Amino acid sequence: MFRDNIVESLLGKTTQKRKSRIPAKLDFLQSATGLILATFILFHLIFEASILLGKDSMYAITKMFEGDFFIEGGSPIFISVLASIIFAIFILHALLAMRKFPNSYREYLRLRTHAKLMKHSDTNLWIIQAITGFMMFFLGSVHLYIVWTQPQNIGPFASSDRVYSDMFYPLYFMLLVSVVLHAGAGVYRLIMKWGWFDGKNPKSNRVKTRKIVKVVTTIYLIMGLLSLITYIKIGYEHKSEYGKRYVPTTEVRDEN
Ligand code: HEM
């Protein structure tokens, strides 16, 4: 043994085991999948808000996602493919995040006490993220499964019928609040973790970043709520014709 150690030292080798790089890699993968999903949601809620500009605008966006710019009339299969990719990233992100959940109630209580004692707002943010992430695991899965398996049922009337007549509005309300808070807290923590905008004055830049993230999160919440109210209103007005599809005004004009 002693002789082996001397030989290893002479050869410049060490008997100490190397620290595993796997946790760092998993951490990076969690940040990367989170960033992809947050970017997706930023655009998703804007596209969804097209309903605020009128039914024709939402119809045009739906057709764009169905690929009508390169296939005559488009096909819902493209929405299904996109949904399956997002679903896979969503599941991977949730799996990676599960590693960081407290393992027991006692561990959770210790974390809460720590957050309260230290008045540590970043720990509070972590708790918000864990709770909203847990909610999204269920709510997001229901939504993704529906758009994945019924991509043909998206449009000004089809979506509003689902939201109002199929009673999806409570689910969308909870999903909207949890996804916007989760993404806002997540993006803020990512910026802090990797020090993206630290610049020469990290302390004041971090305070600025916090303010900007808060403003953007509030804008998204308001925009999402207004869109949801609009889908509910259209669904309510359309309830007697449930299932009937929207015909854009240009096509109605052509028919006349
Ligand atoms: C490719 C995947 C997705 C597609 C095609 C899609 C499509 C849609 C559509 C068409 C609506 C309008 C309501 C309806 O038709 O049921 C909607 C609403 C919504 N989606 Fe998605 N979605 C996708 C992924 C996600 C994900 C991953 C989340 C978050 C986890 C999400 C969160 C929401 C929320 C919160 C609303 C309600 C928005 C509002 O009314 O303000 N979606 N989505």
Side-chain angles (χ1 to χ4, degrees), residues 19-256:
K19 240 183 156 186
S20 168
R21 299 221 9 97
I22 292 177
K25 282 186 181 156
L26 293 181
D27 235 29
F28 175 78
L29 200 57
Q30 192 186 341
S31 296
T33 49
L35 194 62
I36 295 172
L37 290 172
T39 313
F40 170 81
I41 284 299
L42 279 180
F43 285 102
H44 176 9
L45 293 183
I46 290 179
F47 292 135
E48 248 13 87
S50 58
I51 199 73
L52 296 173
L53 302 177
K55 299 185 194 83
D56 280 339
S57 306
M58 200 251 171
Y59 181 85
I61 296 280
T62 308
K63 282 286 151 198
M64 183 188 84
F65 276 98
E66 288 182 359
D68 76 339
F69 48 91
F70 69 92
I71 283 187
E72 174 90 48
S75 163
I77 191 80
F78 294 114
I79 294 182
S80 212
V81 170
L82 178 66
S84 52
I85 295 170
I86 295 295
F87 213 171
I89 301 176
F90 181 78
I91 293 169
L92 179 62
H93 182 71
L95 272 177
L96 291 164
M98 265 165 55
R99 295 173 303 144
K100 303 216 171 132
F101 268 43
N103 285 330
S104 63
Y105 186 59
R106 199 179 290 165
E107 222 177 281
Y108 165 74
L109 285 182
R110 218 178 297 139
L111 191 79
R112 274 197 64 148
T113 318
H114 165 80
K116 270 188 198 150
L117 278 179
M118 308 272 294
K119 289 207 172 54
H120 196 265
S121 48
D122 284 4
T123 314
N124 285 331
L125 268 189
W126 187 89
I127 294 177
I128 291 179
Q129 261 205 300
I131 295 171
T132 51
F134 186 72
M135 286 169 70
M136 273 166 58
F137 199 68
F138 301 98
L139 305 168
S141 297
V142 175
H143 174 49
L144 276 164
Y145 186 77
I146 296 281
V147 289
W148 180 34
T149 55
Q150 300 175 20
Q152 72 285 9
N153 290 339
I154 291 178
F157 283 159
S159 292
S160 303
D161 283 348
R162 176 168 35 246
V163 170
Y164 182 76
S165 299
D166 294 346
M167 290 281 296
F168 264 69
Y169 59 89
L171 182 134
Y172 280 140
F173 175 72
M174 289 186 281
L175 182 59
L176 177 69
V177 174
S178 50
V179 78
V180 173
L181 292 183
H182 191 87
V187 169
Y188 171 76
R189 291 181 68 233
L190 265 186
I191 296 173
M192 295 300 116
K193 181 172 177 176
W194 303 101
W196 284 335
F197 306 121
D198 277 1
K200 283 186 185 144
N201 195 348
K203 214 168 173 192
S204 80
N205 283 342
R206 285 183 173 214
V207 174
K208 265 188 223 154
T209 305
R210 207 182 164 88
K211 274 189 195 148
I212 295 172
V213 172
K214 265 189 189 165
V215 171
V216 175
T217 307
T218 312
I219 293 174
Y220 265 85
L221 259 182
I222 296 172
M223 185 179 75
L225 283 174
L226 290 177
S227 312
L228 190 55
I229 293 169
T230 311
Y231 284 112
I232 294 174
K233 184 174 170 284
I234 298 173
Y236 174 74
E237 288 162 358
H238 191 246
K239 67 177 190 295
S240 56
E241 293 195 298
Y242 175 88
K244 200 170 164 194
R245 306 308 291 259
Y246 182 71
V247 182
T249 35
T250 45
E251 283 178 32
V252 174
R253 241 182 270 134
D254 290 347
E255 276 169 21
N256 290 336

